[in-house]
């Protein structure tokens, strides 16, 4: 009996047509989506430019450089308003696009001599850490870093106090006239050179002892000049911050703000900062 031959053995195969990864309709839809995204990016860059030119800078702007390595592009981080009880002066203009707005209290009994607002090309956390590390080695006291918020923006505050003895400037003694000095001053002779006695070990020890005593007397002076600096840095964006810095110098430390007073005081000053509308 003859053996049947199957279709598979005769070389016949059933072909299956593979479906494409995306249909034609899906490819068209994807192209449309990509085109819309590209158009949105282009329009965003045209309508919103984070950089400003120097000629557009206003005195009440909070400005700084676009980046630490870019000194010819600027960003506006916000602006400032006046604060009741203070006079404001700005160093910002088209000629000096990066500067500060300084506030001086009208009331002389204010605990701070002045405070200033400016922009910085660094995050607030990095800036306050730098300030803390900078002052800590030689400051009399450094407060704990306070984390708070200003209009929904993260902010950090730290206070530093220092003191020193500042010698009062002595009245300058009147110098003799040049002609008179020239007439009375005689050149050294060989005889004077021969009679001049070189310094002995005993003389050197005496001079050293006198110098040590003078240095010791200077160290014994109590501080007569005191300083307090309070720094606040507020987040403007990922790489920029707004600094609000208060400062005072006095003849004693009675003006120092206590640690539990600092946050409320700085938040009151920070109300001059106006952030851009989102």
């Amino acid at each position: 009996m003859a053996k049947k031959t199957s279709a598979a053995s005769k070389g016949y195969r059933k072909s299956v047509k593979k479906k494409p990864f995306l249909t034609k309709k899906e490819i068209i839809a994807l192209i449309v989506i990509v085109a819309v995204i590209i158009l949105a990016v282009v329009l965003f860059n045209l309508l919103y430019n984070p950089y400003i030119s120097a000629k557009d800078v206003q005195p009440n702007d909070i400005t700084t450089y676009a980046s630490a390595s870019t000194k010819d592009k600027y960003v506006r981080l916000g602006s400032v308003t006046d604060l009741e009880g203070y006079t404001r002066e700005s160093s910002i203009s088209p000629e000096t696009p990066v500067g500060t707005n300084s506030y001086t209290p009208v009331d002389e009994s204010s605990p701070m001599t002045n405070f200033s607002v400016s922009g910085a090309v660094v995050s607030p956390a990095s800036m306050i850490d730098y300030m803390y590390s900078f002052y800590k080695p030689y400051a009399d006291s450094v407060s704990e870093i306070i984390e708070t918020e200003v209009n929904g923006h993260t902010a950090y505050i730290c206070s530093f106090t220092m003191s020193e003895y500042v010698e009062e400037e002595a009245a300058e003694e009147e110098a003799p006239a040049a002609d008179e000095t020239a007439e009375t001053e005689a050149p050294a002779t060989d005889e004077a050179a021969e009679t001049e006695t070189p310094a002995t070990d005993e003389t050197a020890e005496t001079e050293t002892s006198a110098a040590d005593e003078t240095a010791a007397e200077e160290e014994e002076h109590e501080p007569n000049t005191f300083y307090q600096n309070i720094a606040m840095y507020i987040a403007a964006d990922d790489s920029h911050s707004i600094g609000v810095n208060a400062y005072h110098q006095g003849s004693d430390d009675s003006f120092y703000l206590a640690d539990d007073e600092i946050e409320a005081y700085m938040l009151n000053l920070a109300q001059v900062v106006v952030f851009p509308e989102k």
Side-chain angles (χ1 to χ4, degrees):
M1 183 169 143
K3 186 177 180 182
K4 292 183 179 180
T5 304
S6 66
S9 62
K10 290 182 178 181
Y12 296 107
R13 297 288 187 274
K14 185 178 179 181
S15 60
V16 179
K17 187 176 182 181
K18 292 184 178 180
K19 292 183 178 181
F21 179 70
L22 294 174
T23 65
K24 185 176 181 180
K25 186 177 181 180
E26 291 172 333
I27 291 173
I28 294 173
L30 181 61
I31 291 173
V32 171
I33 292 171
V34 172
V36 169
I37 294 173
I38 293 173
L39 179 61
V41 171
V42 171
L43 288 175
F44 178 79
N45 288 326
L46 289 175
L47 298 176
Y48 174 74
N49 184 359
Y51 303 134
I52 59 172
S53 61
K55 65 181 179 62
D56 295 326
V57 171
Q58 301 297 317
N60 65 330
D61 283 340
I62 304 173
T63 59
T64 188
Y65 298 107
S67 68
S69 59
T70 305
K71 300 301 182 182
D72 58 347
K73 292 183 179 180
Y74 313 98
V75 290
R76 181 186 289 115
L77 305 178
S79 60
V80 296
T81 60
D82 293 334
L83 184 62
E84 186 177 355
Y86 291 81
T87 59
R88 177 173 64 91
E89 291 185 4
S90 177
S91 65
I92 300 173
S93 68
E95 289 72 32
T96 55
V98 175
T100 62
N101 272 272
S102 300
Y103 295 77
T104 303
V106 176
D107 186 355
E108 295 182 355
S109 65
S110 173
M112 293 288 123
T113 305
N114 58 62
F115 77 93
S116 62
V117 180
S118 58
V121 196
V122 66
S123 69
S126 298
M127 194 66 197
I128 206 70
D129 285 343
Y130 169 78
M131 295 291 287
Y132 185 90
S133 301
F134 179 81
Y135 278 102
K136 190 173 178 59
Y138 56 88
D140 294 340
S141 68
V142 181
S143 73
E144 295 295 326
I145 295 176
I146 302 168
E147 182 174 355
T148 185
E149 281 192 359
V150 176
N151 292 336
H153 294 252
T154 302
Y156 300 92
I157 306 171
C158 195
S159 172
F160 319 92
T161 64
M162 292 173 288
S163 61
E164 63 176 340
Y165 173 75
V166 178
E167 188 174 358
E168 295 182 2
E169 187 176 353
E172 295 183 1
E173 295 181 4
E174 187 176 344
D179 293 341
E180 182 182 347
T181 304
E183 290 174 1
T184 57
E185 188 175 276
T189 62
D190 293 339
E191 182 179 350
E194 290 174 2
T195 58
E196 188 176 303
T197 306
T200 62
D201 293 340
E202 183 179 350
T203 305
E205 290 176 1
T206 303
E207 291 176 351
T208 303
S209 177
D212 292 340
E213 288 178 4
T214 302
E217 288 176 0
E218 291 178 353
E219 291 178 358
E220 289 175 1
H221 286 299
E222 293 293 329
N224 61 2
T225 309
F226 297 81
Y227 313 89
Q228 184 172 33
N229 183 61
I230 308 174
M232 168 189 272
Y233 288 94
I234 311 165
D237 56 37
D238 293 339
S239 57
H240 297 87
S241 60
I242 296 173
V244 180
N245 291 276
Y247 170 82
H248 187 64
Q249 174 183 330
S251 58
D252 57 50
D253 60 2
S254 61
F255 67 88
Y256 283 176
L257 288 174
D259 288 355
D260 59 356
E261 300 174 311
I262 290 173
E263 182 177 0
Y265 181 80
M266 294 304 290
L267 288 176
N268 178 61
L269 302 185
Q271 66 180 300
V272 303
V273 176
V274 180
F275 295 95
E277 293 184 3
K278 295 182 179 179

